[in-house]
Amino acid sequence: MELLPRRPAWPLTCLVLLSLRPWPGADAQAGFQLHQPQKEVSVRVGETLTLSCTVTAGGPIGAVKWLKGWGSGNETIYDQKDPSTWGKRAGNDSSTDFTILIRDVRPEDTGTYYCVKFHKTTAGEELYQRGEGTVVVVQARPSNPTVSGPRDRVEPGKTASFTCNSWGFFPSDINVKWFKDKTLIQSQLPNVTPEPSNFTYSLSSTVTVMLQKDDIRSELTCQVLHTTLTAPLTRSYRLSQVLRVPPSKVVVQPSGSVGLNETVNFTCEVQGFYPGSVTITWLENGKEMNTGSTPQLTETPEGLFELRSMVAVQAVQEKNGSVFTCRVLHEGQDPLSRNATLWVTASGQKESNSPYTNGSSLFIYVAVGVVCTVLALLVVAILYLIRVKQSKGKSSPSARLHEPEKSSGTTTQDSDPNNMTYADLNFTKEKKNVQRVIEVSQQSEYACIQGSQAPASNDNLTYADLDMVHLSKAPRRPAPCPEETTSEYASVQIQRQ
């Protein structure tokens, strides 16, 4: 008996398996459906994410799972048989609703999620049907911003840069504004970069400010705006944290020269500085002193500081000419020094032209002295000239009468020979021994000079010098008679032309 060859049995086996295995088309015809309605979901960090998925009854035997991503890099988010997955069913008793919840969402939860129906076979679970996927966007709220400034303090008139930082936000769209005391100022474009191994972004914004002396009470404010915020996030920075105002004035005020063994107080005033950390050291002839009062720090309305330190010194002779120095050290900068010299007077009286005046008062006193000397010399010269003139004005012991010119229209003496010209004069007396001689003529003109008091001697006569004296004409009078011995007179004859 010839044996016929065996037909391979695998086609029958495959047919049996195919007949046992449901396939999508057949199930679809049977009415099975998987529905994933959400196309995109936006959620904020920390909130609970809800992913919806429903299936119809009568489907093949197999589990329904949630996967994040598709392909080789997918991740199981929900598996009913694996409690380690963090997705939880919203309703555990339902056989058709496979909505899950993901609590405390993080930025890394951003991605696309799929609801998948598997078919259980002897070889294991095989994909049967999946949803269209839901895109999940996790909106991360920016962190509270921080503002940093330069490490070292900056003096007025110089620029300083300040940086505002914020991180952990998503999406990347973000806005930053800078204010100085509520006034908007221009800043550089913000730098937004993705954070490594994360789906969030970080922000860095920088602004440059020219510092001023009155910025001690000023503030810089960084304002961050994002879609996840209902109100902007702000952070302020006080400019006093970085501003350094050096002392505007250091003055040493001594009380001037003092008497021996008296006490002189040297005061050092430091004005207009910030911050208030100042060290004052007193030195005597370059050597540090152990004495000195505790500095008194006061604040001005502008926010600056003033400080006063005083040292008392006994004015002994050994300290005469000693130099006292106030050295001011502010914020570790180069020290400022001011000097004063102690002068001791033996009399104990303070000198007005003390060297403490730095020469200004001495110059004034010298100038005043020169002016007074010149004025005194001028007065002496004027008095001398007046005296010389007066001495030249005194007449010699004689009398001169100059007859004025006679005009052509006047009557000549020939027409009236008896007319006489005379003058009565009172003047200073001088002694001269002469004889009283009176010559009387009808053709004479004379001047009769009467003294107010009789001379002590009968022979004394008084003479006068007369220049340019016009003698008035008078009617003819009798010839003068010899006067008494107590009279003083002068008789001058003028010859007619």
Side-chain angles (χ1 to χ4, degrees):
M1 180 175 179
E2 184 177 0
L3 296 176
L4 296 176
R6 271 177 118 176
R7 302 183 62 183
W10 65 267
L12 181 60
T13 304
C14 291
L15 182 60
V16 172
L17 291 175
L18 289 175
S19 64
L20 295 175
R21 176 186 176 185
W23 46 282
D27 289 336
Q29 291 177 357
F32 179 84
Q33 292 183 358
L34 185 150
H35 182 56
Q36 188 176 350
Q38 298 165 302
K39 301 299 181 181
E40 183 176 344
V41 176
S42 178
V43 63
R44 295 180 181 181
V45 172
E47 295 180 347
T48 300
L49 172 63
T50 302
L51 296 175
S52 300
C53 178
T54 59
V55 296
T56 58
I61 299 174
V64 176
K65 298 181 181 181
W66 278 93
L67 304 181
K68 179 184 178 184
W70 193 255
S72 60
N74 67 76
E75 180 183 5
T76 301
I77 302 300
Y78 167 75
D79 186 349
Q80 186 175 7
K81 296 181 179 181
D82 186 1
S84 64
T85 56
W86 61 87
K88 306 299 179 184
R89 288 276 301 272
N92 293 329
D93 298 335
S94 176
S95 60
T96 58
D97 188 358
F98 288 89
T99 299
I100 64 171
L101 304 176
I102 301 177
R103 304 182 188 277
D104 190 17
V105 175
R106 299 178 182 180
E108 55 266 28
D109 293 332
T110 300
T112 304
Y113 292 77
Y114 296 91
C115 181
V116 182
K117 171 66 175 177
F118 286 90
H119 174 223
K120 186 175 180 181
T121 66
T122 57
E125 291 186 335
E126 295 181 1
L127 175 64
Y128 184 73
Q129 191 176 0
R130 74 171 188 180
E132 296 180 357
T134 301
V135 178
V136 175
V137 177
V138 179
Q139 293 184 342
R141 181 180 183 271
S143 66
N144 290 327
T146 61
V147 179
S148 60
R151 293 181 299 176
D152 300 326
R153 290 187 177 270
V154 181
E155 295 185 4
K158 297 182 179 180
T159 58
S161 296
F162 301 86
T163 303
C164 178
N165 291 313
S166 181
W167 55 88
F169 57 89
F170 188 92
S172 61
D173 297 335
I174 195 168
N175 190 15
V176 181
K177 294 182 180 180
W178 284 92
F179 296 87
K180 180 181 178 182
D181 295 334
K182 299 181 180 181
T183 300
L184 182 65
I185 59 177
Q186 188 66 32
S187 62
Q188 302 176 10
L189 292 176
N191 184 23
V192 180
T193 57
E195 296 180 350
S197 65
N198 206 332
F199 290 89
T200 58
Y201 295 85
S202 61
L203 161 75
S204 178
S205 176
T206 302
V207 66
T208 302
V209 178
M210 175 76 73
L211 297 181
Q212 303 296 332
K213 184 178 180 180
D214 55 356
D215 283 338
I216 294 176
R217 302 191 186 279
S218 297
E219 286 186 343
L220 281 181
T221 301
C222 172
Q223 185 183 84
V224 177
L225 299 95
H226 192 255
T227 56
T228 60
L229 302 173
T230 57
L233 299 175
T234 60
R235 176 59 61 92
S236 297
Y237 186 97
R238 295 184 64 89
L239 293 181
S240 59
Q241 297 178 237
V242 71
L243 184 64
R244 188 186 78 87
V245 182
S248 61
K249 192 174 183 181
V250 178
V251 181
V252 178
Q253 297 179 340
S255 57
S257 59
V258 296
L260 188 62
N261 295 327
E262 292 187 7
T263 300
V264 58
N265 293 322
F266 290 96
T267 303
C268 182
E269 292 187 0
V270 187
Q271 302 176 2
F273 60 91
Y274 186 90
S277 55
V278 170
T279 302
I280 292 184
T281 306
W282 284 96
L283 297 92
E284 181 179 356
N285 296 325
K287 185 178 180 181
E288 186 172 340
M289 302 173 62
N290 295 326
T291 58
S293 64
T294 302
Q296 302 174 1
L297 190 66
T298 57
E299 185 177 1
T300 64
E302 296 80 13
L304 299 175
F305 289 97
E306 295 180 349
L307 184 141
R308 173 179 295 186
S309 178
M310 185 177 65
V311 63
V313 178
Q314 188 175 9
V316 296
Q317 190 62 38
E318 292 78 6
K319 292 184 179 293
N320 187 29
S322 296
V323 177
F324 292 87
T325 303
C326 173
R327 186 172 64 188
V328 180
L329 184 63
H330 181 241
E331 281 288 308
Q333 304 299 309
D334 294 337
L336 301 174
S337 298
R338 295 295 183 269
N339 300 330
T341 305
L342 174 64
W343 299 104
V344 181
T345 58
S347 61
Q349 297 180 352
K350 296 181 180 180
E351 298 177 358
S352 60
N353 57 344
S354 169
Y356 295 134
T357 59
N358 296 327
S360 59
S361 299
L362 180 62
F363 174 80
I364 295 174
Y365 296 149
V366 171
V368 173
V370 171
V371 173
C372 293
T373 302
V374 172
L375 292 177
L377 292 175
L378 289 176
V379 172
V380 171
I382 293 173
L383 293 176
Y384 175 78
L385 293 175
I386 294 175
R387 191 174 187 86
V388 170
K389 186 174 181 180
Q390 288 178 347
S391 63
K392 288 183 179 181
K394 293 183 179 179
S395 63
S396 61
S398 62
R400 295 178 298 170
L401 293 179
H402 298 276
E403 184 179 18
E405 282 185 26
K406 296 184 176 75
S407 63
S408 61
T410 59
T411 305
T412 64
Q413 290 182 353
D414 294 338
S415 63
D416 190 1
N418 293 325
N419 288 341
M420 293 180 291
T421 302
Y422 68 92
D424 290 330
L425 303 176
N426 295 322
F427 50 84
T428 307
K429 302 175 182 178
E430 290 188 5
K431 294 183 179 181
K432 187 174 181 67
N433 295 328
V434 296
Q435 294 180 355
R436 296 181 184 179
V437 178
I438 305 174
E439 294 180 3
V440 181
S441 174
Q442 294 180 353
Q443 303 298 325
S444 301
E445 295 178 351
Y446 69 93
C448 181
I449 303 171
Q450 179 67 43
S452 62
Q453 186 175 359
S457 172
N458 293 334
D459 296 331
N460 290 339
L461 295 177
T462 302
Y463 292 82
D465 285 330
L466 302 177
D467 294 330
M468 301 301 295
V469 178
H470 294 272
L471 302 179
S472 62
K473 296 290 185 175
R476 180 179 180 181
R477 58 172 65 177
C481 298
E483 296 291 333
E484 297 179 357
T485 58
T486 60
S487 301
E488 295 178 352
Y489 66 92
S491 177
V492 182
Q493 283 190 343
I494 302 175
Q495 296 298 330
R496 294 190 177 277
Q497 303 293 332

